[in-house]
Amino acid sequence: MEAATPPANVYEGNGQLSVAAPIPGAHPDHVEVIVTPSRVRVAASCKYSQENQHYHLHEWLVGGWQLNVDLPKPVDPSAARATLNLGVLVVTAPISADGSGESRPSIRDT
């Protein structure tokens, strides 16, 4: 199954940028987040099998997810945080013109 791209919201508040995306069926152990000063990348694999289901209506996907979001302002990757709550991943990092490199924050399940 090919990875799908979830919709994403990018918002600013309290001196930080946040990226929020629904990834149904994801578990924190199967989600990788990479934050750079200008981008957030997410790769998730969901273990819920859909192939054997007898669907009458099938409008949302559970499977692999890939997301690449260009950020409107630079952030500090070293201070990035990620949480997964009720199937919604939120990645937050402080706005900073001095940020460099990349980070892979562990995903907290809240």
Side-chain angles (χ1 to χ4, degrees):
M1 176 184 307
E2 187 174 316
T5 301
N9 292 337
V10 179
Y11 53 95
E12 181 178 341
N14 299 322
Q16 58 190 13
L17 287 177
S18 297
V19 175
I23 47 176
H27 185 277
D29 292 342
H30 303 132
V31 178
E32 179 181 46
V33 173
I34 301 171
V35 180
T36 68
S38 62
R39 176 175 288 217
V40 170
R41 291 184 303 237
V42 176
S45 62
C46 303
K47 304 298 182 184
Y48 176 79
S49 174
Q50 291 184 312
E51 290 82 23
N52 299 328
Q53 303 297 326
H54 178 73
Y55 287 99
H56 291 277
L57 180 64
H58 189 197
E59 295 183 336
W60 60 276
L61 174 71
V62 174
W65 298 99
Q66 297 248 338
L67 178 65
N68 288 297
V69 177
D70 291 324
L71 300 174
K73 294 181 179 180
V75 299
D76 178 4
S78 67
R81 297 180 322 273
T83 59
L84 182 61
N85 185 22
L86 300 174
V88 177
L89 176 71
V90 178
V91 180
T92 304
I95 296 169
S96 173
D98 299 328
S100 63
E102 72 176 31
S103 71
R104 297 172 188 253
S106 59
I107 291 90
R108 293 182 325 182
D109 191 5
T110 59

